[in-house]
Amino acid sequence: MEKKQTINFGAGPAKLPQAVFIFLLHPEMSHRSADFSKIINTTENLLRELLNVPENYKILFLQGGGSGQFSGVPLNLIGLKEDRCADYLVTGTWSARAAKEAEKYGKVNVIHPKLDSYTKIPDSSTWSLNPSASYVYYCCNETVHGVEFNFIPDTKGVVLVSDMSSNFLSRPVDVSKFGLIFAGAQKNVGCAGVTVVIVREDLMGKALKECPIILDYQVQAGNNSLYNTPPCFSIYIMGLVLEWIKNNGGADAMERLNVQKSNIIYDLINHSNGFYSCPVDMACRSRMNIPFRIGKKEGDENLEKLFLDGASKLGMISLKGHRSVGGIRASLYNAVTVEDVKALAAYMEEFFNNHQ
Ligand code: PLP
């Protein structure tokens, strides 16, 4: 195969849509200026439109990343009920980290039996939800392990919180089913630096007294996310990416493309007689991050190194699996095109033919 342009299959910060690049020369401007007001308001309105965000939800643009929200969520919400407890569905690295952070502020229940590997979502009949929990938390797409929820957990009326950092706007979502959704921008909707928080209004105003003011949803909402200097450039880029999503058919179209793209790779894995293997249960395989091993189930490290070296020579970069799981991981966020994925599939096929 001939090398073309570089294709970034990294887990994030990830590829930006090509259409956004011509706008990258952004003049610095005050976050109090009329020009920036226009940018932040347009970005918020685009998000409202693309996700049909109901009027009784605030949209915040914060700093501190997804990890900042591992603290922000309990600091703001664990005090919703006197018991100060929260249920966490732990299905991978990111929800495990969030649960650990929340333990600093209240009692955390992991609501299903502890998993020995993060390759599945335990059947909801095994979940023991606590009706007096302040909220139920889950990570909608576990970026490291490639485990994605294709359903919204039924919490029997308890406030539902989701980390959608790595599948935000990759498909439509019924925001009204959630108390809070958060997502770092750097995978599907922009560059690093800004984290979107969509929070139902009635859940604000009950932050613990030790909550840092910049993480206090009510304070940030009251200041239109401008309590302190916001990540102006990242918000500007997010606006451009949202515009691109809108011009390309919105969340429905992103979903169709993401199904098509991930199916190309999963089909190839499934038809490789075990040469490629994905450890994740079929029912919860991620459309965004596809982890796989080469040669044998637990991975042949020499073959995997050969695979990565060959990919890199063809300009396909950042395909190495997360250091905690090894192997290969292809991240197929919104900006990765069908052609990019076909190029990867062609390389995988060629590698299979040469090494099986
Ligand atoms: N949640 C998920 C699902 C992630 O993939 C990541 C990072 O990759 C995080 C949270 C942490 O985000 P950040 O590095 O912005 O703190």
Side-chain angles (χ1 to χ4, degrees):
M1 280 172 83
E2 201 189 311
K3 177 168 176 173
K4 294 205 186 105
Q5 93 286 15
T6 301
I7 308 175
N8 180 4
F9 288 103
K15 185 180 171 184
L16 283 170
Q18 202 64 35
V20 161
F21 279 91
I22 51 169
F23 298 100
L24 285 191
L25 286 176
H26 167 67
E28 273 305 335
M29 61 176 71
S30 162
H31 61 290
R32 308 280 172 208
S33 66
D35 282 343
F36 187 72
S37 284
K38 206 166 142 210
I39 287 173
I40 196 166
N41 291 337
T42 307
T43 307
E44 174 176 342
N45 290 337
L46 279 164
L47 264 180
R48 283 196 183 276
E49 184 183 338
L50 288 167
L51 286 175
N52 283 320
V53 179
E55 287 206 345
N56 62 327
Y57 285 73
K58 291 285 186 204
I59 298 183
L60 310 176
F61 299 98
L62 304 182
Q63 303 199 48
S67 306
Q69 291 312 309
F70 295 169
S71 326
V73 166
L75 280 162
N76 281 274
L77 303 185
I78 210 159
L80 283 175
K81 291 191 189 156
E82 255 178 39
D83 291 356
R84 279 206 195 178
C85 49
D87 285 344
Y88 276 70
L89 270 163
V90 175
T91 54
T93 298
W94 294 112
S95 46
R97 278 208 199 172
K100 190 155 186 281
E101 183 64 15
E103 278 171 7
K104 292 180 183 165
Y105 308 108
K107 188 168 170 335
V108 166
N109 308 309
V110 174
I111 65 172
H112 53 73
K114 194 171 179 336
L115 300 171
D116 26 327
S117 67
Y118 293 128
T119 52
K120 62 175 182 232
I121 297 171
D123 191 280
S124 56
S125 63
T126 65
W127 301 357
S128 49
L129 291 168
N130 171 7
S132 35
S134 293
Y135 60 88
V136 176
Y137 178 105
Y138 77 108
C139 176
C140 197
N141 182 66
E142 285 285 358
T143 323
V144 171
H145 297 91
V147 172
E148 183 171 17
F149 280 72
N150 61 13
F151 64 97
I152 297 179
D154 177 6
T155 60
K156 318 265 185 274
V158 176
V159 168
L160 182 60
V161 173
S162 186
D163 171 2
M164 295 193 183
S165 291
S166 52
N167 64 355
F168 192 60
L169 264 170
S170 68
R171 59 183 188 183
V173 60
D174 182 352
V175 175
S176 72
K177 295 267 192 313
F178 294 82
L180 183 143
I181 291 170
F182 72 84
Q186 67 267 28
K187 323 266 187 202
N188 275 309
V189 289
C191 61
V194 61
T195 307
V196 176
V197 174
I198 304 177
V199 54
R200 217 173 66 209
E201 278 171 357
D202 61 294
L203 303 178
M204 298 190 309
K206 307 206 175 62
L208 304 183
K209 66 175 183 343
E210 50 273 53
C211 179
I213 196 157
I214 55 163
L215 283 179
D216 186 319
Y217 301 145
Q218 192 172 45
V219 171
Q220 288 288 11
N223 288 278
N224 199 23
S225 304
L226 302 179
Y227 172 77
N228 63 322
T229 311
C232 302
F233 183 72
S234 305
I235 295 171
Y236 168 70
I237 298 294
M238 189 193 287
L240 296 176
V241 177
L242 297 179
E243 190 101 40
W244 172 83
I245 293 178
K246 183 178 166 182
N247 292 340
N248 283 279
D252 288 314
M254 293 299 122
E255 178 172 46
R256 275 194 300 279
L257 284 172
N258 289 323
V259 168
Q260 185 190 352
K261 290 179 324 191
S262 54
N263 279 347
I264 293 174
I265 303 298
Y266 283 125
D267 284 349
L268 202 149
I269 291 173
N270 295 343
H271 293 105
S272 68
N273 289 329
F275 181 75
Y276 295 116
S277 60
C278 172
V280 182
D281 264 14
M282 294 275 189
C284 56
R285 286 187 171 178
S286 170
R287 294 168 184 174
M288 299 280 99
N289 313 96
I290 305 184
F292 61 92
R293 305 298 312 226
I294 305 180
K296 52 184 179 182
K297 229 171 159 199
E298 59 286 7
D300 175 329
E301 286 184 14
N302 291 330
L303 267 186
E304 289 174 347
K305 187 172 176 320
L306 260 181
F307 179 90
L308 290 170
D309 289 347
S312 160
K313 284 193 188 116
L314 293 169
M316 299 182 213
I317 60 165
S318 302
L319 280 161
K320 196 171 188 325
H322 190 269
R323 59 194 177 282
S324 63
V325 294
I328 316 292
R329 172 177 52 173
S331 295
L332 313 180
Y333 298 125
N334 286 345
V336 173
T337 63
V338 174
E339 288 66 40
D340 293 342
V341 177
K342 283 184 176 161
L344 174 61
Y347 171 62
M348 286 174 72
E349 249 178 84
E350 185 181 299
F351 191 84
F352 169 80
N353 290 333
N354 292 338
H355 298 279
Q356 65 170 311

